[in-house]
Amino acid sequence: MPRKYVYSFGEGAAEGRDDMKDLLGGKGAALAEMCNAGIPVPPGFTITTHACTLHRDLGTVPAEVSRQIDEHLALLEERMGRKFGDANEPLLVSVRSGAKVSMPGMMDTVLNLGLNPKSVQGLAKSSGDPRFAYDAYRRFIMMYSNVVLGLDRAPFEAVLTTARRKARRQSDSQLDAKQLEKIIAAFEKIVRDQTGKPFPRDPHAQLRGAIEAVFGSWDTERAKHYRKLHDISDALGTACNVQAMVFGNRGDRSATGVGFTRNPATGEREFYGEFLQNAQGEDVVAGIRTPLLLAELESILPEAYAELQDITLRLERHYGDMQDFEFTIEEGKLFMLQTRAGKRTGIAAVRVATDMVDEGLITREEAVIRVEPVQLLQLLHPVFDPADRAKYEVAARGINASPGAACGQLVFTPEDAVTEAEAGNKVVLVRHETSPDDIHGMHAAVGLVTVTGGMTSHAAVVGRQMGKPAVVGCEALRIDTARERLQINGQTIGRGDWLSIDGTTGEVILAQVATMPSEVVQVVTGKLHPSKSTIFAAFERLLDWADLTRRLRVRANADTGADAQMALALGAEGIGLARTEHMFFGADRMPKMQQMILARTEPERRKALKKLLPLQRRDFLALFKAMNGLPVTIRTLDPPLHEFLPNPTELKVEIEVLKATTKTTGKGKQAKAAAAELEALESVYERVLSLSEINPMLGWRGCRLTILVPEIIEMQAQALFEAAAKCIATGVPVDPEIMIPLVGDAGELALQREVVQRVAGEVMRKRGIHITYKIGTMIELPRAALTADAIAEHAEFFSFGTNDLTQTTFGFSRDDAGKFLGHYVDQGILPRNPFVSIDREGVGELMRIAVGKGRTARQGVKIGICGEHGGDPQSVGFCHDLGLDYVSCSPYRIPVARLAAAQAVLHERGVEELRTRARKNLRYKTPPTYHGTARGSTD
Ligand code: ADP
Ligand code: MG
Ligand code: MG
């Protein structure tokens, strides 16, 4: 028997079910399921995804598929009691694409297919409404010409506009039959002129064309691009639905609309949606007329409203998820046209998932699987105070690179950002683009804006890492550096003027919009009582359930006591990375740090380090105290030294200026001072030059630096153990882990280990206190991964530094790769940006090798990850699969990682099984048998 390529909606309980999404697509499966349950759906049939892949391979619709289509079309004619192309009562259909997951780029729906000069008369007669019939026809010609024949809409629009103007009418719906007939003639002429052929009149030819166009749309560039981005296989194909038309444009007792079973922004249980009377298809979303709120339907068409509410709530219960539905009412009679899981904000996602557990609709596991981990970020970022936000207009839009709202005074340079921040001012840093040299300024700013760059630009990555709102690629901005002015779409502001940005939407506003911490953050920071926040309660419960499920531990990347406290409040089980270099950026520390670096002799250096010691000790103390006995991984100094040094070009300018403006000769006191200053500057300049590297990121950094200058790591170890000793002495438990960065060879680690152990011994002896600690290393170079067995002999733990490991594995720098990475992803060379989500085949393989070798060489070696990937859900899943012990990420990402780690366990158990457990019966009415017309036949 030939394979089945076409299914009637609800053809039989076993055929056309919701779990046939692969074959019927999401739309088709839901239509079938509704039909089976006796919900009023206009009859029709689905041509399977399988037929689509065949069409793709053969370049044509195979004869067997065509035969089955004809067969089902005949069946549909019989059920509807109408014939395709009939001069009295024509059958009209819609042709709708529908893949397993809905995606952009697929063919738009064609309505009213089957109309031609003969059948339009039939429709006019049978409906008794010629205006309606010609309205349907002109809509059909325009839609079909555009989406199937590929003609531009503009000339058609022009015809309509002219006709409206001539008839002095505001909207198309006010045109009468005569005027519409003329429009149709003009439309037909456009088609003839542009294609050299008349508009197809044979309904069967129309149908064939539309079906082929649906299948063809699977391979549009937009669809392909979307699939790549979302990991959807090209092999799936789309299904095609052919469905009898019902008409929402038959007067005021007819309508079309869309809605949600709950509020998609807040998650609250309310019937939410919009509709338009006397309208068809997507008029509601097209914004031609302003739609009415669904609640108003109750008074206009009470019966249809009650039925709609009843049906959609049943659908929600049945699918166990919030539904997004589409419906049409024809002369008072309701028809459902689509239902699917509705898109929602993070807040709504959390709220709906937990509410549904309480309502007994889903299990806790399903709730945990349901919420997309990154959506949780939306619950944590500061928000604009809605009342204040409403007062202002948007000046420009860029890419929403790092979510949250921020408001501050405009600065153009990192130096200004630092100065202003130290003076207690909030600043937004606006740059053409940012670079690692700007880090201190980015730290100081409350928000970041760049003119160029995309989602993976330096500003975007660092913004997300720091949890700072960022809008990047905002090309409407013109920076005039010399005059410190910023032009935005005709408006000009200057340094110090207020500017607000919303990194969640990409909006830039030229005003001081009030922001406030999100409700969840207000609770975790103790500013709001938990009992006062429904959303916090939901957030907390969902994450509790996740914690019960997950195996991976979750730690935080935190450099300060404040970061650590926030991380703890968000559920961190330790610190996986404390970067000590970040501790030297403050105004009180930078000069001391520079002194240390510029020192030419060991005693000089020791003197400078001595000044840093108490500051560093205080930092560690704060971390230990905050974490109260949880593990704290502290990494010794890592970055290239130039990040702490003045810029050589600027120094040179300063020297020249000094030379030109002051007299350095003569004997006066002033002259002497000037000469001394000049000499000092020149000496710094010379030192900066001597330390400058051609490729600092691959240069003298990490343990390479502390091996040559061991005084640094000695000081850091001393600060660490003294802080630990102090904690222990005061009854605060500690669990320190010292982590050596950028090790490529076991010998490097062995050397550093010796230094740390020696200092630890000294401190313990001196204080008379025993401190238990671990020494470990970052695995961030391919060579470290490959020699992990030798390294494990000196390391009690490994932490994958996947940022550097990705750079060194691919051999491209994160800060420069932005120029071509996007292209690589577009071209399909790489499935996604490897700095966002771990490259499993390359970087991941090195990780796998390191885990294997490390565990073989040292049983129980603790292994984690502390790159930015630690907060990326897909990478967390990968770490789970690799069997790591923990992931470490920025504090705000902790909830994301907790949820992703739980989902990894559920995926392992098999989510499908979770989902297909018995559902509430959807049975609405006994499914109808369609004899006669669709109208009224289901009562
Ligand atoms: P999308 O995939 O963009 O949601 P749909 O296939 O759902 O496209 O079609 C868009 C709209 O067209 C529907 O919401 C509905 O209003 C209208 N429509 C589709 N099929 C029919 C039909 N058989 N009768 C009446 N209207 C229809
Ligand atoms: Mg569409
Ligand atoms: Mg739809």
Side-chain angles (χ1 to χ4, degrees):
M1 219 180 68
R3 213 184 171 112
K4 197 164 165 56
Y5 294 108
V6 184
Y7 290 82
S8 283
F9 300 163
E11 195 171 274
E15 291 181 339
R17 284 186 329 248
D18 180 54
D19 56 351
M20 289 175 73
K21 266 191 188 170
D22 282 329
L23 208 53
L24 303 179
K27 198 182 282 172
L31 286 168
E33 181 116 14
M34 287 195 285
C35 265
N36 275 331
I39 288 170
V41 170
F45 54 86
T46 305
I47 309 162
T48 64
T49 54
H50 201 127
C52 174
T53 38
L54 274 183
H55 169 264
R56 194 179 188 213
D57 295 343
L58 306 175
T60 174
V61 176
E64 174 57 23
V65 175
S66 294
R67 194 191 61 73
Q68 294 188 21
I69 293 174
D70 290 344
E71 196 179 281
H72 280 81
L73 188 64
L75 223 64
L76 185 63
E77 288 181 327
E78 197 182 308
R79 276 188 192 164
M80 300 294 295
R82 293 167 166 239
K83 282 222 165 316
F84 228 24
D86 196 82
N88 295 313
E89 268 202 310
L91 168 68
L92 301 188
V93 297
S94 65
V95 179
R96 319 168 65 186
S97 62
K100 183 176 182 184
V101 278
S102 74
M103 67 177 85
M106 303 298 290
M107 195 194 81
D108 284 337
T109 294
V110 176
L111 302 177
N112 311 329
L113 187 140
L115 281 173
N116 59 22
K118 196 166 84 180
S119 64
V120 75
Q121 303 297 343
L123 184 64
K125 243 186 283 169
S126 63
S127 67
D129 186 353
R131 191 214 64 86
F132 154 71
Y134 288 112
D135 184 57
Y137 194 20
R138 65 96 189 164
R139 284 174 189 263
F140 168 57
I141 298 179
M142 186 157 157
M143 265 189 267
Y144 193 93
S145 301
N146 179 232
V147 306
V148 178
L149 303 179
L151 303 185
D152 198 4
R153 287 176 71 95
F156 294 94
E157 304 272 16
V159 168
L160 275 173
T161 312
T162 315
R164 270 199 313 265
R165 201 175 308 132
K166 263 196 188 157
R168 297 177 194 282
R169 295 293 184 220
Q170 295 277 308
S171 96
D172 297 338
S173 60
Q174 294 166 322
L175 296 169
D176 64 26
K178 271 253 149 45
Q179 288 154 345
L180 288 165
E181 263 193 283
K182 283 204 192 111
I183 289 169
I184 288 163
F187 278 8
E188 285 182 323
K189 182 166 181 316
I190 295 174
V191 175
R192 228 178 304 120
D193 289 351
Q194 298 208 2
T195 64
K197 281 185 267 182
F199 185 83
R201 293 191 166 178
D202 172 12
H204 294 275
Q206 293 172 353
L207 184 61
R208 210 173 317 119
I211 292 170
E212 294 207 21
V214 166
F215 288 159
S217 70
W218 179 254
D219 281 319
T220 58
E221 285 310 312
R222 255 181 89 200
K224 282 200 263 189
H225 183 69
Y226 182 88
R227 290 200 291 273
K228 193 161 295 147
L229 275 183
H230 292 85
D231 264 333
I232 300 167
S233 161
D234 278 340
L236 285 179
T238 179
C240 175
N241 302 288
V242 177
Q243 184 175 29
M245 282 301 300
V246 286
F247 301 99
N249 53 340
R250 296 205 52 190
D252 280 348
R253 285 183 42 73
S254 300
T256 178
V258 297
F260 291 88
T261 50
R262 305 190 184 215
N263 185 316
T266 65
E268 269 165 84
R269 261 190 104 167
E270 61 174 307
F271 204 40
Y272 179 95
E274 295 175 328
F275 73 100
L276 269 178
Q277 283 167 277
N278 198 9
Q280 189 175 42
E282 310 218 289
D283 287 0
V284 180
V285 277
I288 304 165
R289 284 188 276 154
T290 311
L292 302 176
L293 285 180
L294 208 46
E296 294 177 61
L297 185 64
E298 185 161 22
S299 55
I300 300 174
L301 294 164
E303 276 164 41
Y305 177 80
E307 189 174 22
L308 181 66
Q309 198 166 28
D310 179 28
I311 288 174
T312 54
L313 288 179
R314 278 165 193 273
L315 286 170
E316 184 185 91
R317 240 177 307 152
H318 173 67
Y319 287 109
D321 202 357
M322 174 179 105
Q323 296 297 296
D324 165 357
F325 54 85
E326 297 171 10
F327 65 94
T328 283
I329 298 170
E330 181 175 330
E331 303 195 306
K333 169 88 193 89
L334 172 75
F335 292 91
M336 296 304 296
L337 288 169
Q338 192 169 343
T339 191
R340 60 183 156 187
K343 295 251 185 308
R344 63 205 82 175
T345 64
I347 288 181
V350 172
R351 179 86 192 264
V352 167
T354 50
D355 279 356
M356 285 193 163
V357 170
D358 293 339
E359 292 162 25
L361 292 188
I362 58 174
T363 62
R364 285 178 194 160
E365 279 89 357
E366 279 180 290
V368 165
I369 262 297
R370 183 71 58 80
V371 177
E372 250 189 73
V374 289
Q375 282 195 307
L376 294 178
L377 291 176
Q378 292 176 29
L379 280 69
L380 303 177
H381 286 287
V383 291
F384 281 133
D385 185 334
D388 202 44
R389 168 68 186 82
K391 297 179 198 158
Y392 307 100
E393 303 241 340
V394 173
R397 264 170 219 281
I399 297 169
N400 48 342
S402 176
C407 171
Q409 288 170 283
L410 173 59
V411 292
F412 295 101
T413 65
E415 291 70 34
D416 285 352
V418 172
T419 323
E420 292 296 329
E422 276 161 8
N425 298 322
K426 289 208 272 175
V427 294
V428 171
L429 178 62
V430 178
R431 302 281 279 166
H432 199 72
E433 63 199 352
T434 64
S435 76
D437 293 336
D438 300 342
I439 289 280
H440 52 305
M442 298 168 80
H443 242 285
V446 296
L448 311 168
V449 180
T450 64
V451 182
T452 59
M455 281 304 275
T456 62
S457 64
H458 182 264
V461 172
V462 173
R464 288 195 293 272
Q465 195 173 316
M466 293 180 177
K468 280 203 178 148
V471 175
V472 302
C474 193
E475 294 183 346
L477 306 187
R478 295 276 167 279
I479 299 178
D480 179 349
T481 326
R483 293 167 53 216
E484 297 203 299
R485 311 224 136 253
L486 180 65
Q487 277 180 29
I488 307 177
N489 293 326
Q491 303 183 67
T492 305
I493 59 172
R495 191 186 151 184
D497 287 340
W498 286 92
L499 174 85
S500 298
I501 63 167
D502 190 338
T504 315
T505 60
E507 293 169 350
V508 177
I509 296 165
L510 305 187
Q512 191 176 357
V513 184
T515 61
M516 51 193 230
S518 74
E519 212 173 292
V520 169
V521 170
Q522 288 179 46
V523 175
V524 299
T525 54
K527 298 205 177 80
L528 183 71
H529 195 268
S531 66
K532 291 251 160 48
S533 171
T534 334
I535 186 61
F536 174 76
F539 172 81
E540 184 88 327
R541 286 176 77 203
L542 186 78
L543 286 170
D544 278 348
W545 301 336
D547 290 348
L548 289 174
T549 312
R550 71 186 157 93
R551 200 204 66 225
L552 271 176
R553 303 236 142 220
V554 178
R555 295 195 192 181
N557 297 351
D559 304 338
T560 64
D563 279 359
Q565 259 151 15
M566 177 54 90
L568 264 184
L570 292 171
E573 297 163 295
I575 290 178
L577 173 65
R579 282 162 290 217
T580 50
E581 58 277 7
H582 281 213
M583 299 174 177
F584 297 115
F585 280 122
D588 55 333
R589 300 170 174 211
M590 197 70 157
K592 300 187 178 78
M593 189 67 182
Q594 289 185 352
Q595 251 178 40
M596 189 275 287
I597 296 166
L598 295 172
R600 283 160 205 268
T601 61
E602 196 193 310
E604 241 182 277
R605 193 176 304 117
R606 285 202 186 276
K607 212 170 110 196
L609 280 167
K610 220 170 167 172
K611 291 188 206 155
L612 288 168
L613 176 70
L615 301 174
Q616 185 96 107
R617 194 168 47 213
R618 210 192 310 146
D619 297 331
F620 295 153
L621 206 57
L623 288 178
F624 289 145
K625 278 192 178 153
M627 298 312 286
N628 195 27
L630 291 173
V632 175
T633 308
I634 289 169
R635 180 178 72 184
T636 52
L637 197 68
D638 180 36
L641 292 183
H642 76 134
E643 285 193 13
F644 298 102
L645 294 177
N647 177 306
T649 322
E650 282 169 18
L651 263 180
K652 184 80 189 156
V653 171
E654 213 177 313
I655 291 169
E656 295 307 321
V657 170
L658 199 68
K659 273 189 185 160
T661 54
T662 58
K663 269 181 76 180
T664 50
T665 50
K667 287 197 184 135
K669 220 179 178 182
Q670 255 189 329
K672 238 188 187 162
E677 193 187 346
L678 187 62
E679 198 184 320
L681 270 184
E682 278 178 329
S683 138
V684 169
Y685 177 66
E686 190 194 309
R687 186 80 174 128
V688 168
L689 279 192
S690 80
L691 286 174
S692 92
E693 294 172 299
I694 291 179
N695 194 342
M697 296 315 281
L698 294 178
W700 202 31
R701 51 174 285 222
C703 69
R704 296 165 200 157
L705 180 71
T706 46
I707 282 173
L708 273 141
V709 190
E711 302 90 303
I712 300 175
I713 189 171
E714 278 174 23
M715 180 279 282
Q716 294 198 295
Q718 189 184 342
L720 187 150
F721 289 112
E722 285 178 358
K726 185 153 185 203
C727 284
I728 296 171
T730 52
V732 178
V734 288
D735 184 4
E737 303 179 335
I738 299 96
M739 180 158 77
I740 312 297
L742 226 70
V743 164
D745 185 274
E748 292 172 315
L749 181 60
L751 264 181
Q752 299 276 283
R753 188 182 176 92
E754 258 174 45
V755 178
V756 174
Q757 282 177 328
R758 174 166 52 75
V759 176
E762 283 165 14
V763 174
M764 288 195 250
R765 252 192 318 283
K766 222 151 98 204
R767 302 282 157 113
I769 281 178
H770 179 75
I771 304 166
T772 324
Y773 63 94
K774 292 192 187 72
I775 299 177
T777 182
M778 308 269 293
I779 302 284
E780 51 188 334
L781 295 171
R783 197 176 186 285
L786 297 173
T787 60
D789 41 357
I791 290 176
E793 285 178 29
H794 311 282
E796 279 113 357
F797 67 90
F798 289 167
S799 179
F800 289 106
T802 45
N803 296 345
D804 266 313
L805 191 57
T806 302
Q807 299 200 92
T808 51
T809 300
F810 278 98
F812 40 66
S813 96
R814 183 173 71 185
D815 302 314
D816 299 313
K819 296 196 176 73
F820 55 84
L821 257 186
H823 205 65
Y824 267 43
V825 173
D826 288 346
Q827 306 245 303
I829 300 171
L830 292 175
R832 61 186 85 81
N833 184 333
F835 292 108
V836 175
S837 199
I838 287 175
D839 153 53
R840 298 189 180 201
E841 290 79 33
V843 175
E845 199 49 34
L846 284 169
M847 291 170 71
R848 193 188 305 282
I849 291 170
V851 170
K853 289 196 164 191
R855 292 221 169 112
T856 313
R858 182 193 286 257
Q859 234 189 3
V861 59
K862 216 175 352 165
I863 307 181
I865 172 183
C866 64
E868 237 213 308
H869 301 92
D872 164 64
Q874 292 193 25
S875 309
V876 171
F878 182 67
C879 292
H880 171 90
D881 295 344
L882 270 190
L884 299 201
D885 297 296
Y886 68 89
V887 296
S888 187
C889 55
S890 60
Y892 280 97
R893 286 262 166 179
I894 297 227
V896 176
R898 286 162 73 192
L899 189 56
Q903 293 187 351
V905 173
L906 294 175
H907 280 296
E908 205 170 66
R909 279 196 218 149
V911 185
E912 290 307 317
E913 190 195 326
L914 263 179
R915 292 214 170 127
T916 53
R917 68 180 189 77
R919 286 278 176 222
K920 297 260 173 353
N921 191 354
L922 185 58
R923 174 70 58 235
Y924 180 62
K925 285 180 183 162
T926 311
T929 43
Y930 290 98
H931 290 301
T933 69
R935 290 192 290 281
S937 65
T938 52
D939 303 77

